[in-house]
Amino acid sequence: MKVFAIVPVKSFENAKTRLGTLLSTAERIKLSGMLVKRTIYILKKTPGIQKILLVSSDSRTKKIARKYGVTFLEEDKESGVNSAINLADKFCVTACADASLILPIDLPLILPEDVSIICKSVLDDNNCVVLCPSYKFDGSNVLLRKPCNIIGTSYDANSYLMHVLGGIRNNVKTKVLFVSRLMIDIDTVLDVRNMLAMNETDNQITQYLKTILTKPHP
């Protein structure tokens, strides 16, 4: 099975804005770069992922893609996650991918074996959707579609519920898997504090965020 991983990436200045009370713009830019690189590393270590697609209008993401040897799909302008995925879907169809796995960059706990669980869950299915929700159950932290355009995406609009309903309405077999590390994202300051309390994070990102949390704030 040929699975393409789709990683939509906002421009670094516009990423993680809800962490603005904790991180300066320069710190958010640095964190975004670290998260993109870690996501690439995890996906490259995951058996079954044939191609990694970074989709962005950001020049920094383009440089990272070139440096780490992954495919970069350039948007003319930043138009949201769903627009970025539409661009990637066209690439996947043209390249005859069997399935696509959509992964955001802000899942700092993920390991290759977690992504493998999602991929292996569709080996015996021809038409299906697999989701892993965020721990708040308001977003789709992982979405696998087989084939890659079997349903459209509905990010930034209670995407977990919308993707489940999308599968049901299209009469597509829809699975929800609860993989603990995949359910942890870092959208808010509370998310960051909860993640750090788990003591199960990437060392580099952990130390960076801990340093920021302990610095004096005006």
Side-chain angles (χ1 to χ4, degrees), residues 38 108-111 114 180-181 184 194-203 206:
R38 184 176 190 273
L109 302 187
I110 64 168
L111 295 174
D114 302 321
S180 58
R181 284 186 291 257
I184 303 299
N194 287 340
M195 178 204 67
L196 292 175
M198 296 176 72
N199 292 318
E200 192 185 350
T201 60
D202 175 271
N203 287 335
T206 298

Side-chain angles (χ1 to χ4, degrees), residues 82 85-86 89 143 145 149-154 162-163 166 170:
N82 298 307
I85 292 168
N86 284 338
D89 283 348
L143 173 62
R145 297 170 297 163
N149 58 355
I150 194 166
I151 64 166
T153 60
S154 302
M162 295 305 294
H163 290 148
N170 287 280

Side-chain angles (χ1 to χ4, degrees), residues 25-115:
T25 299
E27 289 167 337
R28 287 191 291 109
I29 288 171
K30 182 174 180 180
L31 177 63
S32 294
M34 294 168 68
L35 289 169
V36 171
K37 292 172 186 175
R38 184 176 190 273
T39 302
I40 292 171
Y41 172 81
I42 294 298
L43 289 171
K44 282 197 165 189
K45 294 288 186 181
T46 303
I49 299 294
Q50 271 70 43
K51 191 175 286 291
I52 302 168
L53 311 177
L54 297 190
V55 192
S56 183
S57 62
D58 191 273
S59 60
R60 299 178 188 90
T61 303
K62 187 174 186 177
K63 290 179 181 177
I64 292 171
R66 286 176 173 172
K67 180 177 180 180
Y68 291 94
V70 301
T71 301
F72 180 74
L73 301 180
E74 187 166 10
E75 297 181 281
D76 294 332
K77 62 178 181 179
E78 191 167 290
S79 302
V81 176
N82 298 307
S83 176
I85 292 168
N86 284 338
L87 179 62
D89 283 348
K90 293 174 183 176
F91 182 96
C92 291
V93 170
T94 301
C96 300
D98 296 310
S100 67
L101 182 140
I102 303 167
L103 195 69
I105 63 170
D106 64 340
L107 308 181
L109 302 187
I110 64 168
L111 295 174
E113 50 262 43
D114 302 321
V115 182

Side-chain angles (χ1 to χ4, degrees), residues 169-184:
R169 287 168 180 163
N170 287 280
N171 198 28
V172 175
K173 185 175 183 179
T174 303
K175 304 178 185 180
V176 178
L177 302 184
F178 301 102
V179 183
S180 58
R181 284 186 291 257
L182 294 178
M183 296 178 73
I184 303 299

